[in-house]
Amino acid sequence: MLVLYAGGSASGKSEAAEAAAVCAAKAAGSPLIYLATMERGGREAEARIEKHRAQRAEKGFVTIECARAVHELSLPANAAVLLEDLGNLVGNELFSPEADAHSEEDILRALNESLLSLEAKCGQLILVGALLSEEPRYADPDTERYVRIFSALQNALAARAEAVYLAELGTLRCLKRKEDV
């Protein structure tokens, strides 16, 4: 089962996704995995990582750090997996040294296949996405490339997800549920 939570910065999407993952793991009696995609590096990143770890310390998550190639992970059967977040995963792949040799279509296809493979290993995969404005256009071509790939990937994931939620101003709205399809 695939579920997507999207929203802007500080919208409440991460908290809602964490709560959903905890409930899914409890209901299924399955392991609870927090898949952290942020690459380590620098004091600011380390402080952010520690802040997030402290925020979920009492929730029962086992944290796995994996900045790229999430399909290569070995996971416990039927685990409830929260991937935080899709934007980091896209950026890590897009700005990797190997990415220059690949087209946008190749990168998008590889990310989609990697997430499909990860989803097949999980009882439930919960993704934390974002809202990116495509207008006005960004001056930097790398940023525009990122937005195109991220948007295409998140839209494809939303289309196949069993549920999609949008967090705005602390309010969570269901955009799609399996029974609505």
Side-chain angles (χ1 to χ4, degrees), residues 49-180:
I49 289 168
E50 289 311 311
K51 175 187 166 196
H52 288 162
R53 279 185 184 265
Q55 287 174 332
R56 64 179 185 276
E58 303 300 318
K59 296 180 181 176
F61 283 98
V62 172
T63 300
I64 298 174
E65 293 183 11
C66 184
R68 298 178 57 212
V70 295
H71 62 281
E72 294 177 356
L73 290 172
S74 293
L75 297 170
N78 295 320
V81 177
L82 172 63
L83 186 144
E84 174 85 48
D85 71 25
L86 196 55
N88 283 334
L89 185 65
V90 171
N92 297 340
E93 292 290 351
L94 182 60
F95 299 112
S96 70
E98 303 85 25
D100 286 340
H102 300 289
S103 69
E104 285 184 28
E105 293 78 18
D106 289 342
I107 294 169
L108 179 58
R109 184 175 27 262
L111 282 162
N112 196 39
E113 289 173 3
S114 184
L115 288 164
L116 272 170
S117 177
L118 178 66
E119 181 184 353
K121 297 176 184 182
C122 302
Q124 184 164 6
L125 177 59
I126 299 173
L127 302 172
V128 177
L131 293 181
L132 297 177
S133 174
E134 293 189 37
E135 297 293 336
R137 290 293 185 193
Y138 300 92
D140 179 51
D142 287 337
T143 303
E144 285 206 25
R145 186 174 188 223
Y146 170 85
V147 169
R148 281 191 303 272
I149 292 171
F150 177 88
S151 296
L153 179 64
Q154 184 167 264
N155 288 341
L157 292 165
R160 77 167 189 262
E162 294 188 47
V164 178
Y165 297 92
L166 177 63
E168 294 178 296
L169 305 171
T171 303
L172 190 64
R173 192 165 40 115
C174 180
L175 301 180
K176 171 186 171 183
R177 276 190 303 259
K178 185 178 182 179
E179 58 268 12
D180 296 337

